[in-house]
Amino acid sequence: MDKTFRKHRGDLESCIITSQCYDGTLQNWVQHAIRVKHTKDLTLNYIHGRKRRYRGTHLLDMLPEIFSHHSLTSLSLSGYSLLSTRSFNNCGNLKTLKLLNMVLIRVSTLSTVLEACSSLEVIVLQIAFLTGFGVLKIENKNLKFFQVTFPYYVERIEVNAPCLDVLDIRDIKCQSKNNFILTDPNNQFNRNHWETRNIWHELLVSDFHGMTTRHGTLSVSVDITSPKEVKILKELLLMWTTYTMIELEILFKTNNASREEEGECYSDGIANEKLWEDATPFPYADFRVYNVWMYNFNGSSKEEFAFASRFVMQKTVMMKMMIETSSYPPMKKLEIEAAVAKLVELPKGNEDLSIECF
């Protein structure tokens, strides 16, 4: 590794260090990658045994603020356990944090890490807590993407993320529905839906020693007329290969500001229509989801109707497609219901599919 660093000239865009070091060697490499090579994207993988198997975890305990250098914007750790949070002190420089196959003794440790990384836009967590008691608090005004996998018990999770566009729940176990609290204007339908319609048990797939489990859920806020956001949505759905997609919740955006920021031209509407002219299944032919919930669906939008039509005709949805109409004024509600009626008349890829308003 030292030889590799010496041979490389200039700064590093990304650096992946895969090792099983137990001394200060790894720390020296990390310092060199960040402080000397000004690495932007750093990945640390711990391997176990000569066959390079990614099993077990190793205690990660480094110098205070080692990840706080201004050049480092993305950090991924895999196969480690954390006792101390000092390495993450003052890490406002990080935009992306991925903690994969990690073991933490206390929930509060993770809360402290996330609080120290105040500028995060992307958080991916695959964590096992040895003691799941306590409150995991995530308060971040910049957070846009949050993916979580907690296969073991967590007493309480509180997420306050006003800019969140994607909530990707792979697996969480909480004591009850009241122990997962989400404050998120873009995806507020998740929490409100559980509370006001009292269908928590409909969203659950199993009980585990008195605890409720929710897994296989993706909630996303998307501008379906934006090629960039559609591409992101497709990439998200393509990631669902290990876990079963139980619920897909889509909030259609109505704000056009994002399109203008991207510098895309939609003046004549031609670019929008071409997004859904291709008959290729979206996101791919074998993708399946049991239930889809659509919010802010516009019955007069050709793009949104074409998008929903694909889900109906291409065997994508197995059980139910639910479209919200109750929040609209009477005239708009009738317009949406008329569009839903047209969806019902389409040839269904799955004969058991039910399409309803709520």
Side-chain angles (χ1 to χ4, degrees), residues 252 294-301 304-305 322-344 355-358:
F252 293 108
M294 294 185 176
Y295 302 80
N296 208 25
F297 178 72
N298 187 343
S300 61
S301 168
E304 291 179 15
F305 185 86
M322 305 295 293
I323 299 177
E324 182 194 31
T325 60
S326 58
S327 63
Y328 288 104
M331 292 301 295
K332 187 63 177 179
K333 181 179 179 181
L334 289 174
E335 179 184 320
I336 307 299
E337 289 176 344
V340 174
K342 292 180 180 179
L343 290 174
V344 172
I355 305 173
E356 303 174 18
C357 299
F358 69 96

Side-chain angles (χ1 to χ4, degrees), residues 178-193:
N178 296 319
N179 286 32
F180 183 89
I181 298 176
L182 174 67
T183 304
D184 164 23
N186 291 338
N187 292 304
Q188 61 183 344
F189 51 85
N190 289 278
R191 185 60 188 172
N192 289 345
H193 194 58

Side-chain angles (χ1 to χ4, degrees), residues 187-350:
N187 292 304
Q188 61 183 344
F189 51 85
N190 289 278
R191 185 60 188 172
N192 289 345
H193 194 58
W194 297 347
E195 293 294 333
T196 60
R197 296 190 62 81
N198 195 27
I199 62 160
W200 174 258
H201 292 288
E202 185 178 339
L203 300 179
L204 301 182
V205 291
S206 66
D207 289 327
F208 181 73
H209 298 302
M211 293 176 284
T212 53
T213 302
R214 192 185 191 203
H215 68 69
T217 301
L218 176 66
S219 301
V220 60
S221 177
V222 61
D223 178 358
I224 213 66
T225 65
S226 166
K228 179 180 178 180
E229 296 198 15
V230 169
K231 181 180 179 181
I232 293 172
L233 175 59
K234 183 174 183 177
E235 290 176 353
L236 285 171
L237 297 179
L238 288 172
M239 292 168 59
W240 281 82
T241 55
T242 304
Y243 294 87
T244 303
M245 177 76 81
I246 305 297
E247 305 280 341
L248 173 59
E249 301 175 333
I250 299 173
L251 174 66
F252 293 108
K253 290 182 181 178
T254 57
N255 188 357
N256 294 327
S258 60
R259 303 181 210 166
E260 295 173 1
E261 291 174 1
E262 294 171 13
E264 296 168 312
C265 179
Y266 289 86
S267 59
D268 57 4
I270 295 177
N272 296 2
E273 295 176 5
K274 287 184 177 180
L275 274 176
W276 304 108
E277 284 181 358
D278 188 0
T280 304
F282 183 90
Y284 59 96
D286 296 329
F287 174 76
R288 298 289 183 271
V289 55
Y290 282 100
N291 302 313
V292 172
W293 303 81
M294 294 185 176
Y295 302 80
N296 208 25
F297 178 72
N298 187 343
S300 61
S301 168
K302 293 181 180 179
E303 295 81 16
E304 291 179 15
F305 185 86
F307 175 77
S309 298
R310 284 191 167 206
F311 275 47
V312 173
M313 301 172 65
Q314 295 180 346
K315 297 183 180 180
T316 303
V317 187
M318 303 300 293
M319 294 178 62
K320 291 190 299 185
M321 177 182 286
M322 305 295 293
I323 299 177
E324 182 194 31
T325 60
S326 58
S327 63
Y328 288 104
M331 292 301 295
K332 187 63 177 179
K333 181 179 179 181
L334 289 174
E335 179 184 320
I336 307 299
E337 289 176 344
V340 174
K342 292 180 180 179
L343 290 174
V344 172
E345 295 300 320
L346 292 174
K348 298 180 178 64
N350 186 341

